[in-house]
Amino acid sequence: MTSTPPPAPGLTRFNTSPDGAALAALRQVCASPAWGEALLARRPYATEDELLAAGDTVTAQLTDAELTAALAGHPPIGRPEEGDPASAREQRGMAGAPVPLKAEMTELNLAYQERFGHVFLICATGATAEELRDTLRTRLGHTPEREREIARAELGRINRLRLTRLMAAEPAPASVSTHVLDTSTGRPATGVAVTLAARADAGWTVLGGSVTDPDGRCKDLPVPDPGTTEVRLTFATGPYLDRGERAGAERDAPAPRESGAPFFPEVTVTFTVAPGEHHHVPLLLNPFGYSVYRGS
C-alpha cells in the first residue's frame, strides 16, 4: 500500500499560519482582497496542486471590480515600484533594455492605459524587453472585452508563479524598530526603556526590549516569530519625563510641567505586522501629549 507523501513544508506553514499572516502573504501574490479571502477560506490544502487549482478557480470567478483591484496592484512594465521585489524580479527582462526601448515602452504603456483603463498586464517572467514591447503593440489592437479576458489569464499565470514561490520560500519574519523624539525640546529622548510583545493565535508574549540610544533610537529590538500578527511596544516614559531626568537632556529648557508624577508614565502602542516587512514606529513625546506613526 502506497502512503500519501506529507505536504511540503511551505504548504504546511501556509495551512497553519494565523489568518492575518496567511492573508498578508496572499496579498503579496494578488492585490484583490476577494481573491485572498477566498483562498484563505478554503484552507487547508492537501497538496500544492490543490492550492494552485483553487487560485485558478478564484481568479476566473473574480468580478469586474475585483479584477480591477487585482490589476491595480501591478506596476507598468518597465517601472516596478520601490519595495516591490516580486515585480522587479518578474520584469527583469526590461532591466538592461536600451534607453530608446524603455522610452517607447513608457509611451505604449500610457497609450494602453488610456485605451483600456487599466495597466498592461503580462506574465513577464523570462521575456525579453523586445518581446514585451512587441506583445504590447499587438494587444493595443484588441477590443476592450478581448483585452480584459487576456489580462485575467495573465493574472492567473502570475498568481500561479507567485503562489509556487510562496510555497517554496522560507518564512520571513517581520522586523520592528522605533525612535523617540522629545518634541518639547526638539531633541532625541535618550534612555527610554522599550519592551516588545508579540501576538499570534496563542496570545501575547513578551519577547524582550531595549533602551533608546543617544539618537533616541532602539536598533536592537527582538525579532518577532514568523507567525506574529500584532506587535505591542511599551515605552517607559515616566522616568524620562521626570523633571530631574530631562534637566540633563536640556538644561536651558523651561520646566515642562508642575511638580508631581509624570502625566504619561507609560505609552503603549499596538499595531499589525506583515511577514517580511520592516515596521518603524516612532514616538513623538512631550509632557502632556504624544503621537505615533509608521515611518520608514
Side-chain angles (χ1 to χ4, degrees):
M1 182 175 179
T2 303
S3 60
T4 302
L11 183 62
T12 300
R13 183 171 62 248
F14 175 72
N15 281 334
T16 58
S17 292
D19 285 355
L23 192 57
L26 290 171
R27 287 297 299 274
Q28 298 299 312
V29 175
C30 180
S32 166
W35 186 89
E37 291 164 2
L39 261 67
L40 188 72
R42 299 179 184 214
R43 291 194 302 172
Y45 296 91
T47 64
E48 184 176 314
D49 286 343
E50 183 181 328
L51 172 61
L52 295 176
D56 291 342
T57 299
V58 174
T59 301
Q61 294 174 346
L62 291 176
T63 66
D64 194 60
E66 292 163 354
L67 179 59
T68 296
L71 297 178
H74 290 268
I77 293 294
R79 287 187 291 160
E81 297 177 357
E82 185 177 354
D84 185 359
S87 293
R89 178 173 54 245
E90 292 159 358
Q91 298 184 22
R92 191 173 298 149
M94 286 295 302
V99 173
L101 196 156
K102 288 183 176 180
E104 183 181 5
M105 283 295 292
T106 297
E107 294 179 2
L108 290 170
N109 272 313
L110 291 173
Y112 182 96
Q113 292 185 46
E114 183 177 351
R115 173 165 169 73
F116 298 112
H118 58 80
V119 70
F120 166 68
L121 187 67
I122 183 172
C123 184
T125 300
T128 66
E130 291 78 8
E131 290 170 338
L132 294 171
R133 178 201 57 197
D134 294 345
T135 302
L136 178 47
R137 284 175 176 172
T138 298
R139 286 173 54 180
L140 270 168
H142 291 160
T143 64
E145 294 77 15
R146 170 65 176 152
E147 191 55 30
R148 193 79 169 170
E149 288 311 305
I150 291 177
R152 185 189 294 270
E154 294 295 324
L155 176 68
R157 294 176 62 197
I158 294 170
N159 289 351
R160 264 190 162 254
L161 286 173
R162 291 185 176 186
L163 276 175
T164 300
R165 283 198 295 266
L166 177 64
M167 294 303 102
E170 291 297 320
S175 58
V176 177
S177 63
T178 187
H179 72 263
V180 184
L181 176 67
D182 185 340
T183 57
S184 68
T185 65
R187 296 193 175 207
T190 303
V192 178
V194 183
T195 301
L196 185 148
R199 177 160 66 184
D201 285 345
W204 287 104
T205 302
V206 176
L207 300 182
S210 183
V211 177
T212 56
D213 64 16
D215 291 325
R217 296 184 177 275
C218 279
K219 299 179 180 177
D220 54 353
L221 287 171
V223 177
D225 293 334
T228 298
T229 55
E230 295 180 6
V231 162
R232 182 174 64 204
L233 294 179
T234 302
F235 300 83
T237 51
Y240 174 80
L241 289 174
D242 181 81
R243 182 180 307 195
E245 291 286 333
R246 299 187 73 252
E250 183 56 59
R251 298 182 186 281
D252 299 326
R257 59 177 176 82
E258 300 297 329
S259 61
F263 190 69
F264 291 113
E266 182 178 275
V267 172
T268 300
V269 181
T270 303
F271 50 94
T272 59
V273 295
E277 292 188 13
H278 181 69
H279 305 75
H280 183 62
V281 183
L283 171 68
L284 306 182
L285 178 68
N286 68 66
F288 295 104
Y290 66 86
S291 63
V292 293
Y293 63 95
R294 179 169 183 179
S296 60

